[in-house]
Amino acid sequence: MANGVSDLRPGPGGFLIPERWTPYSTRASLAAWRARISAQWRVWPEAEHAFYAAQIDRLRHTPAGTPTSMWLWLPEWPPFAGDGPDLFVDCRPGPLRGCVMVDYETEGQHGPLWPNVAAMFEEVADRLEGAAAEGLDDDPEIGRWILPR
């Protein structure tokens, strides 16, 4: 999604996506996805693998947009932005397929925050246009969102 984004972000530059997210490059997105998928199996005790495999299978068959409080990661959740919690697109089947959700690692997955990536970037554009109209160039913050420069 953000193949032109550098993985090396020099200095403070704000966040493109409110409140605190920066898009990953394609390489970083794939690395984050792989790390999440493999980490869960290393973290869980081997005696509990069958339990977690059943939970993953159950969640893979719930509709997109269904949150969970479990620390796990589905193959259908490609992350695309981070700097703390990861934003991901929920690619499971269902009416909300393609919605944007957030993973708080120890608190599970919450959302949907936006119905799709296009709606998320539409909000970003609207907020940036509003900030420009309000003359916020000298104060690059709106609430907790530090505007990109």
Side-chain angles (χ1 to χ4, degrees):
M1 183 189 104
N3 203 22
V5 174
S6 172
D7 292 333
L8 304 171
R9 292 181 216 106
F15 302 100
L16 179 62
I17 305 166
E19 298 285 328
R20 60 185 176 274
W21 291 290
T22 300
Y24 291 144
S25 67
T26 304
R27 178 179 295 142
S29 178
L30 184 58
W33 180 82
R34 285 179 176 153
R36 290 290 181 96
I37 292 291
S38 65
Q40 60 195 6
W41 298 106
R42 290 191 314 269
V43 170
W44 299 326
E46 193 168 329
E48 296 179 18
H49 280 197
F51 168 78
Y52 285 106
Q55 295 302 311
I56 288 172
D57 187 57
R58 180 184 61 79
L59 283 169
R60 291 184 80 185
H61 293 92
T62 59
T66 303
T68 178
S69 60
M70 297 189 75
W71 188 88
L72 51 76
W73 196 263
L74 301 183
E76 295 86 356
W77 292 345
F80 68 91
D83 276 347
D86 282 339
L87 290 181
F88 65 92
V89 176
D90 192 341
C91 296
R92 292 176 290 177
L96 294 176
R97 181 183 179 99
C99 68
V100 176
M101 297 184 63
V102 62
D103 176 68
Y104 288 107
E105 293 184 9
T106 59
E107 298 172 31
Q109 298 73 34
H110 300 257
L113 303 179
W114 291 278
N116 53 52
V117 174
M120 178 191 72
F121 279 120
E122 184 175 330
E123 180 182 330
V124 168
D126 290 347
R127 291 176 84 173
L128 288 173
E129 287 172 355
E134 293 175 25
L136 293 178
D137 294 332
D138 295 332
D139 182 13
E141 292 188 35
I142 300 174
R144 293 180 49 210
W145 184 30
I146 301 171
L147 301 175
R149 296 180 193 217

